[in-house]
Amino acid sequence: MRIAMLAPISWRTPPRHYGPWEQVTSLLTEALVARGVDVTLFATLDSSTSGRLDGVCPAPYSEDPAIDAKVWEMLHVAHVFEQAEKFDLIHNQADFVPHAFSRLVATPVVTTIHGFSSDRIWPAYKRYEDRVHYVAISEADRHPDLRYAATIHHGIPLEDFPFDPQGGEDLLFFGRIHPDKGAAEAITAARRSGRKLVMAGIVQDQAYHDEHVAPAVDGRTVVYLGPVGGAARATTLGSARALLHLINFDEPFGLSVVEALACGTPVIARNRGSMRELIDDGVTGFLVDSLDAAVDAIARIDQIDRAACRAAVSARFTVERMADRYLGLYREILG
């Protein structure tokens, strides 16, 4: 089986710190290669894989201002489809642009939908639902008017997230500094609970950061680490008392939630989007609908067994499980 894995080019694959789409693309690619699948990863040329690396874009556009996103995305996608006959299947992880090329080739196309950034992109999915095999990353993120081939949750390599049976005393916010992710709400909840808050993530909305986050960061009650990747990611997630994920949007999945649980850290999350698929309320964390409920959950967080958090990820959200399900889908499509 010859697979063309089409990664986004916003970040390197795998990413240095932030880049969830690229991270999942890398994890799946490496797991498929380990199973003996012939995978060519189409990504930025500074990317890394145990399969074959191909591409035209020298660097990620989110890291190099000289890279024009629109121009290089078109060149990147065209480069894949111009050699489609070399592959049994193209797996697109790079949003909707590749759909416009899908009817120009005979090779089957699978698209993992990592979330709908806007209702305005809907026609680029609906128009091609008879040609492209869509995969949802959670039941919550399925659009009711779109045809899907499967729902496949993301998986993570457990060995990269060691279990911490004790954790620490501090609360953690881990994600984009953006209104969607509830950074300001995490600060308020931590302050009301009397616990220190550690924050990690890229600043995606500078005005929001400057108004709602920066004034609270004092290095004592609120500490901001910036983007955290590599081994420090697992250490940061595992050393927390709880992860606060008080989102203000319908989260399509939430990699940091699963990563925290793998380390044994329970999660207190706003009950929106995929959260009820990832968190067992009262067992691996708490699902809440208000700040008051979040503060109450913080006070009860020691009721959660950290070993149960780890066990839930081991049973449902491993990279092996994800790869097996995608491989099964490929075989079903190819007959």
Side-chain angles (χ1 to χ4, degrees):
M1 190 184 296
R2 300 163 301 167
I3 304 296
M5 188 69 69
L6 175 53
I9 56 169
S10 179
W11 306 96
R12 187 188 70 168
T13 302
R16 293 176 176 86
H17 44 75
Y18 177 79
W21 296 19
E22 290 84 354
Q23 180 66 24
V24 170
T25 303
S26 177
L27 289 173
L28 178 58
T29 297
E30 300 311 301
L32 291 174
V33 171
R35 283 161 171 71
V37 181
D38 184 346
V39 184
T40 300
L41 174 67
F42 290 87
T44 58
L45 292 176
D46 62 344
S47 296
S48 175
T49 178
S50 58
R52 274 189 298 274
L53 177 64
D54 197 352
V56 292
C57 188
Y61 62 76
S62 290
E63 298 182 40
D64 187 343
I67 302 294
D68 184 287
K70 189 172 183 178
V71 169
W72 284 97
E73 186 173 41
M74 293 305 142
L75 294 174
H76 175 61
V77 173
H79 182 64
V80 178
F81 281 85
E82 285 167 359
Q83 47 189 313
E85 74 281 355
K86 297 180 181 178
F87 302 99
D88 297 311
L89 184 143
I90 297 170
H91 189 157
N92 166 42
Q93 305 267 5
D95 217 355
F96 61 87
V97 169
H99 299 165
F101 294 77
S102 65
R103 291 197 180 114
L104 305 178
V105 302
T107 307
V109 179
V110 170
T111 289
T112 295
I113 303 177
H114 290 271
F116 297 100
S117 59
S118 166
D119 289 338
R120 292 177 296 177
I121 69 173
W122 169 244
Y125 287 93
K126 186 64 178 177
R127 182 181 292 269
Y128 295 96
E129 68 176 354
D130 293 331
R131 173 67 182 99
V132 180
H133 304 270
Y134 295 137
V135 175
I137 59 175
S138 67
E139 292 293 334
D141 200 52
R142 275 183 176 247
H143 194 289
D145 297 324
L146 192 64
R147 180 182 302 171
Y148 289 86
T151 297
I152 301 177
H153 287 137
H154 292 334
I156 64 170
L158 279 176
E159 64 275 13
D160 289 353
F161 296 91
F163 176 58
D164 185 333
Q166 300 298 326
E169 295 301 320
D170 302 335
L171 301 173
L172 176 65
F173 170 89
F174 201 105
R176 297 175 285 125
I177 307 297
H178 186 280
D180 282 352
K181 287 291 190 175
E185 286 80 0
I187 291 170
T188 300
R191 183 176 290 151
R192 287 177 54 185
S193 72
R195 285 187 181 269
K196 177 181 173 181
L197 178 68
V198 175
M199 307 186 76
I202 63 168
V203 175
Q204 197 172 58
D205 186 319
Q206 190 65 51
Y208 173 79
H209 169 268
D210 293 347
E211 181 177 354
H212 297 285
V213 176
V217 176
D218 58 9
R220 184 174 50 84
T221 61
V222 179
V223 175
Y224 175 54
L225 303 178
V228 174
R233 184 180 182 95
T235 301
T236 303
L237 289 163
S239 62
R241 200 82 199 146
L243 176 71
L244 299 184
H245 200 66
L246 305 179
I247 49 175
N248 294 308
F249 79 126
D250 293 330
E251 179 84 76
F253 187 76
L255 267 180
S256 62
V257 170
V258 172
E259 291 168 348
L261 293 174
C263 296
T265 298
V267 181
I268 299 170
R270 187 73 59 86
N271 189 11
R272 295 189 61 171
S274 64
M275 291 301 99
R276 68 191 65 184
E277 295 175 48
L278 308 188
I279 300 164
D280 298 319
D281 190 38
V283 178
T284 60
F286 295 107
L287 298 172
V288 300
D289 294 312
S290 67
L291 267 176
D292 286 343
V295 174
D296 177 68
I298 293 170
R300 296 185 291 124
I301 202 64
D302 288 343
Q303 296 175 10
I304 302 298
D305 180 0
R306 293 178 69 92
C309 298
R310 174 75 170 192
V313 177
S314 180
R316 297 158 54 198
F317 301 113
T318 62
V319 69
E320 290 80 13
R321 179 178 172 86
M322 175 179 69
D324 286 344
R325 296 206 59 204
Y326 273 113
L327 198 50
L329 177 63
Y330 297 164
R331 288 171 175 153
E332 180 182 330
I333 291 169
L334 296 175

